[in-house]
Amino acid sequence: MELIVAIYNISSVPKMLEIAKITYGFGVRRLALIKVFGAAAQQIGDLFKLAFKMGGEVLVFNDINDAVDVLRPDVIFALGKPEKDARPIEKVEGRVMILVHGADLAFSPRELPQNAVMSYAVKKDVGSTGHLAIALYKLLES
C-alpha cells in the first residue's frame, strides 16, 4: 500500500506543520496541500523546510480534482467525524489518499470526487489531526 496524505482547505500554519510532522513521522513521504490560503499560504516555506529535514515531499494543488488527476489514487479515504454514512478506515491494496479537512469541518458531497469513501479512524470526535494520526497508526503499525 502506497499512502498519500492530503490536507484540504488549510489556513492554519501550526495545524499544517503538525499534520506534516505526523505524516512524515509515520514514514509517509508524500503530503499534498489542496486549497491553501491565509497564513498557511504565506508561510508555506516553513513546510518545505520541514519536509526537507524529515525526508518528505510537498505538492500543492488548487482543488481536489487536480490532486486526483496527478496523484491517481486507487482509493480516497475522506477522514472526518463518525457519521451515519462513514465507515471505519481499513487497509486496502494500491495507492491510497487520506484526505483530511484543514478546518475540522465535514466534507460536503460537492467537494469530494465521486469515488471518495467517507471514513473515520475512531468513533470519537478527535479532530482531523487526531483522526489522521490514529488512521496512520492503524494502517501502518498494525
Side-chain angles (χ1 to χ4, degrees):
M1 170 176 47
E2 178 187 343
L3 283 176
I4 303 160
V5 172
I7 311 169
Y8 173 74
N9 199 26
I10 184 84
S11 65
S12 167
V13 175
K15 185 166 191 165
M16 177 179 69
L17 295 176
E18 191 63 30
I19 288 174
K21 287 176 190 173
I22 291 167
T23 299
Y24 301 137
F26 273 101
V28 177
R29 284 188 27 118
R30 188 165 288 159
L31 177 65
L33 277 68
I34 304 166
K35 195 176 170 190
V36 185
F37 63 99
Q42 292 174 347
Q43 294 191 289
I44 202 163
D46 294 341
L47 176 62
F48 282 97
K49 185 168 70 173
L50 175 68
F52 184 79
K53 285 181 179 179
M54 296 186 78
E57 62 183 46
V58 178
L59 300 161
V60 182
F61 299 96
N62 290 326
D63 64 42
I64 292 175
N65 291 326
D66 286 345
V68 171
D69 286 344
V70 171
L71 299 171
R72 302 211 178 274
D74 299 311
V75 178
I76 301 169
F77 288 119
L79 280 181
K81 297 175 185 175
E83 297 173 347
K84 65 176 182 156
D85 294 336
R87 67 180 208 208
I89 197 164
E90 60 188 2
K91 285 187 178 185
V92 295
E93 293 298 317
R95 183 177 291 166
V96 177
M97 177 185 281
I98 300 175
L99 185 61
V100 296
H101 203 295
D104 280 333
L105 299 173
F107 286 103
S108 76
R110 289 181 297 128
E111 293 173 320
L112 296 175
Q114 248 182 329
N115 60 341
V117 178
M118 293 300 295
S119 304
Y120 60 88
V122 291
K123 290 188 176 189
K124 306 280 184 202
D125 184 8
V126 294
S128 57
T129 307
H131 275 283
L132 175 63
I134 295 166
L136 289 174
Y137 181 79
K138 284 182 169 184
L139 294 174
L140 297 171
E141 302 295 323
S142 56

